[in-house]
Amino acid sequence: MLRLDIKERNNWQRKAGDYGFKFHTMYGEPYWDESAYYQFTLQQIEQDLEDPTEEIQQMCLAVVDEVVKSEQLLEKFQIPQHFWQQIADSWQQKQPSLYSRLDFAYHGKGPAKLYENNADTPTSLYESGFWQWLWLEDQVNLGLLPKQSDQFNSLQEKLVHRLAHIAKHYDVQHMHFACCQDTEEDRGTVQYLQDCAKESGLLNDFVFMEDIGLAECGSFSDLQNNKIETLFKLYPWEFMQREEFGESIRDAGVNWIEPIWKSILSNKALMPMLWKMFPEHPNLLASYFEDELANATETKLVKKPIFSREGANVSIIEQGKTVLHADGPYGEEGFIYQQFCPLPKFGNHHTLIGSWLVGDKPAGISMREDSSLITQDSSRFLPHICI
């Protein structure tokens, strides 16, 4: 695993604009960074990342099967009681998921260590599935990368097929897609999924989450008063379950993407549950609920809110003292504690690998780096190749 410098493409920003990649710069700083790339061997990809991703996915599904049957565990996962039966029904009905992303610390030699599962609303999908592949093609054509250069990236193809599968499962030809207003990155992600849906033969419409209405009959509707029957929502389940119209979700008759059983997988409480069910697994880090912290033998831990996004409110604790903290609005529902495992460092860059799944199948990786040990929404995205 190498981090290698490379010449940027001429006028790539203009090309990004032409292709709808409008969030390549965020907060006045580059988000997409093609001044360098990461290089892997095929063995590193297949043995250290792809195979563990598929195995961990099955382990995560085993956790779901345990949690849906236990009121005590559902409480530990801080899921409102009103939704317990709906989550169990969703799981028993095998409602299909679309995609998710596992985040790993990986130094170029196994085993990769799992940080968390972004199972409900993972972003950086467009840049992972399309934009970094376009970068690869361009750089090979320019002679700046070897002709045999490849990329672990079947995201777009798998998304198109998976959306068609989900439509067939629910017997629909039309889907709604939604995200919040004033979130350019989220809108870009959803637009990319709409394009994939179109390629799969589906009709689709977009609606902002804030514009979804509740009809007198109990169904949700868009601004044209069309009933929403199947909805991909880039909006967290834990938010929806606590909002004014949350109690209407159960009877609205919507085919949700992601399905509500993924409330369990997108929850940081997943990590101590994995450790309980698969202790000492080489790809897992020791993890604990707050009331089990006395069992921890590690002197350095990472404190994570049960509900958190983009590294917010994550702290690094050493000998009981906070040595690094990221601010944010989360933590009200409690925390879990995870064995400290630093990200690999390339120069001044701490590098995180996101390993994508479509359905239950590995589909590619994304690379994020930051000067801080905590990866946040402003962390840079770099492309990768494998040779």
Side-chain angles (χ1 to χ4, degrees), residues 42-52:
L42 186 60
Q43 182 178 7
Q44 287 173 325
I45 292 291
E46 291 181 344
Q47 295 184 12
D48 294 345
L49 295 172
E50 186 175 9
D51 289 348

Side-chain angles (χ1 to χ4, degrees), residues 13 16-26 126 184-185 188:
Q13 291 92 341
D18 293 342
Y19 279 93
F21 187 17
K22 298 177 181 178
F23 51 95
H24 58 75
T25 301
M26 288 197 235
Y126 168 84
E184 195 168 42
E185 182 183 7

Side-chain angles (χ1 to χ4, degrees), residues 163-183:
L163 284 162
H165 168 80
I166 292 172
K168 185 177 180 181
H169 175 90
Y170 290 122
D171 192 23
V172 297
Q173 281 91 41
H174 177 271
M175 290 183 184
H176 278 85
F177 290 78
C179 68
C180 288
Q181 296 172 358
D182 302 320
T183 53

Side-chain angles (χ1 to χ4, degrees), residues 105-309:
Y106 177 64
H107 296 250
K109 294 182 180 179
K113 295 292 186 178
L114 178 68
Y115 277 3
E116 60 189 43
N117 187 345
N118 299 275
D120 188 17
T121 59
T123 52
S124 73
L125 187 67
Y126 168 84
E127 50 272 40
S128 299
F130 176 76
W131 185 253
Q132 69 167 340
W133 181 261
L134 187 63
W135 167 88
L136 173 68
E137 289 183 331
D138 286 347
Q139 296 293 47
V140 169
N141 290 336
L142 289 168
L144 295 177
L145 289 174
K147 289 187 181 296
Q148 70 271 24
S149 299
D150 201 354
Q151 198 173 81
F152 179 32
N153 187 357
S154 58
L155 259 172
Q156 185 159 311
E157 176 187 359
K158 283 186 167 71
L159 285 168
V160 170
H161 287 296
R162 187 64 178 174
L163 284 162
H165 168 80
I166 292 172
K168 185 177 180 181
H169 175 90
Y170 290 122
D171 192 23
V172 297
Q173 281 91 41
H174 177 271
M175 290 183 184
H176 278 85
F177 290 78
C179 68
C180 288
Q181 296 172 358
D182 302 320
T183 53
E184 195 168 42
E185 182 183 7
D186 288 4
R187 185 66 188 96
T189 299
V190 171
Q191 182 60 62
Y192 178 57
L193 285 171
Q194 288 181 259
D195 292 342
C196 291
K198 183 179 180 180
E199 190 175 341
S200 73
L202 287 166
L203 300 173
N204 66 85
D205 285 303
F206 176 81
V207 59
F208 284 115
M209 292 296 300
E210 294 89 340
D211 291 333
I212 293 176
L214 180 64
E216 289 185 6
C217 63
S219 64
F220 291 121
S221 60
D222 62 19
L223 286 174
Q224 286 71 46
N225 292 321
N226 296 313
K227 182 180 179 181
I228 296 175
E229 296 181 337
T230 303
L231 176 66
F232 172 87
K233 44 99 198 146
L234 196 67
Y235 191 66
W237 271 114
E238 67 264 23
F239 290 3
M240 291 176 64
Q241 290 163 355
R242 289 164 170 80
E243 291 182 350
E244 181 181 354
F245 298 109
E247 293 195 359
S248 302
I249 291 170
R250 186 172 61 185
D251 300 319
V254 176
N255 304 316
W256 297 102
I257 309 169
E258 300 293 337
I260 196 170
W261 61 259
K262 293 192 87 173
S263 301
I264 296 170
L265 289 192
S266 60
N267 188 309
K268 300 296 191 301
L270 172 70
M271 305 315 296
M273 275 300 297
L274 281 170
W275 188 247
K276 284 174 180 291
M277 292 178 63
F278 305 96
E280 307 300 331
H281 189 283
N283 294 112
L284 297 180
L285 296 168
S287 300
Y288 310 92
F289 289 106
E290 283 192 283
D291 59 4
E292 302 166 344
L293 199 52
N295 299 330
T297 58
E298 295 79 13
T299 59
K300 198 169 185 180
L301 295 164
V302 179
K303 180 181 178 182
K304 296 181 176 182
I306 285 179
F307 299 125
S308 177
R309 305 270 153 182

